[in-house]
Amino acid sequence: MPRETAKPAALNPAFSFFSKRDAKFLFTATQPQQYERLKAPEVTFAGRSNVGKSSLISAVLRSQGLVKTSKKPGHTSTLNFFGLTSDAYPGTAVNIVDMPGYGFRSRDEWGQFIMEYLSTRKE
């Protein structure tokens, strides 16, 4: 049976949201006090090591080279924050968070760090 694909009209709101905003690198965090000041909603990408989280973020942000990617598992070891901005919305509209992967070559402290992040964020 052929796989159904989303119709362009169904993708229009998401395309419109991301295409009308500029993406920028905000900062890298290793401690909660570095990100606790953020007020914009956050979209966090979490998953196993080497599944393409950073590549997916790069595609979503429509910005090649902004997000560092690697073919080696375990490359991301910090929380990396990116902001989507717009002239229509002063300040950052949405924050995107690239998290370290878990599984192959991941470290126990990364799991603790990720759980601390997830348990302290409001949204």
Side-chain angles (χ1 to χ4, degrees):
M1 180 188 309
R3 194 175 110 191
E4 284 191 41
T5 58
K7 305 270 187 270
L11 297 176
N12 203 17
F15 178 79
S16 178
F17 180 84
F18 287 103
S19 66
K20 292 180 181 175
R21 288 170 171 74
D22 293 321
K24 66 179 180 178
F25 175 76
L26 297 176
F27 58 88
T28 293
T30 57
Q31 300 293 321
Q33 49 275 32
Q34 294 171 304
Y35 56 76
E36 62 189 12
R37 61 184 161 76
L38 295 177
K39 302 296 182 214
E42 295 169 8
V43 176
T44 303
F45 288 78
R48 292 190 58 82
S49 294
N50 208 35
V51 295
K53 294 180 298 297
S54 298
S55 296
L56 176 61
I57 293 170
S58 187
V60 167
L61 296 180
R62 299 173 41 143
S63 182
Q64 296 300 317
L66 181 64
V67 182
K68 293 188 181 2
T69 60
S70 174
K71 293 184 188 230
K72 294 187 288 186
H75 184 72
T76 304
S77 60
T78 57
L79 297 177
N80 297 306
F81 289 79
F82 302 89
L84 290 175
T85 61
S86 170
D87 290 339
Y89 302 97
T92 301
V94 174
N95 292 319
I96 306 291
V97 185
D98 189 8
M99 301 184 90
Y102 56 85
F104 182 76
R105 291 192 63 208
S106 65
R107 300 182 183 145
D108 288 340
E109 61 267 20
W110 291 357
Q112 295 165 358
F113 183 49
I114 290 168
M115 291 309 297
E116 184 175 14
Y117 167 80
L118 294 173
S119 66
T120 59
R121 302 313 287 161
K122 290 183 181 180
E123 306 209 18

